[in-house]
Amino acid sequence: QVQLVESGGGLVQAGGSLRLSCAASGRTFSDYAMGWFRQAPGKEREFVARITRVAWSGASTYYADSVKGRFTISRDNAKNTVYLQMNSLKPEDTAVYYCAAGSTRGYNVLVVTSTEYDYWGQGTQVTVSS
């Protein structure tokens, strides 16, 4: 079992920044690829970003087109934490953000469906005002 706890959400004006954190406990954090998803009211949960397990060349990242160039995912295996730095926020970024851990294809970046992740946090609300 892996327990995930997100933090760092809040209310921010358009153009502002937030950094989300997701602290993991339980099984070995480094064994998992990590992802961020979000769900806006009345919409389906959607993929935001992914970071793979750390290989000899480092970890690879992948982003949804809607956040590419504005969001950055990173991980600190020593702290069992994954981060999502969100810059240039837009009102359409408003959602509940969830982090997820997945053991499937851990070194592959193209794992963007929620069903391929094994463990989920409870979510943190991000609200961007115009």
Side-chain angles (χ1 to χ4, degrees):
Q1 285 280 355
V2 175
Q3 292 78 41
L4 302 172
V5 179
E6 302 98 334
S7 61
L11 174 64
V12 64
Q13 289 189 330
S17 298
L18 283 173
R19 188 176 82 154
L20 304 183
S21 299
C22 174
S25 61
R27 301 185 70 176
T28 306
F29 177 71
S30 60
D31 287 346
Y32 292 86
M34 301 298 296
W36 285 97
F37 289 75
R38 66 187 182 186
Q39 187 167 18
K43 294 188 177 181
E44 293 187 353
R45 189 171 298 189
E46 65 173 0
F47 170 80
V48 174
R50 174 176 170 87
I51 186 164
T52 65
R53 294 178 61 179
V54 178
W56 65 270
S57 57
S60 298
T61 58
Y62 184 72
Y63 300 91
D65 287 343
S66 59
V67 307
K68 198 173 297 182
R70 300 188 297 122
F71 290 11
T72 302
I73 188 171
S74 61
R75 67 188 298 160
D76 186 338
N77 285 352
K79 295 183 178 179
N80 290 351
T81 302
V82 62
Y83 304 97
L84 185 68
Q85 178 67 44
M86 305 186 296
N87 298 329
S88 302
L89 282 161
K90 305 175 181 179
E92 51 263 45
D93 294 318
T94 295
V96 177
Y97 283 71
Y98 299 89
C99 73
S103 58
T104 302
R105 297 189 286 143
Y107 296 106
N108 190 314
V109 291
L110 293 177
V111 181
V112 302
T113 55
S114 60
T115 54
E116 294 192 86
Y117 290 80
D118 306 306
Y119 303 102
W120 292 82
Q122 82 290 347
T124 186
Q125 176 70 46
V126 172
T127 303
V128 184
S129 63
S130 56

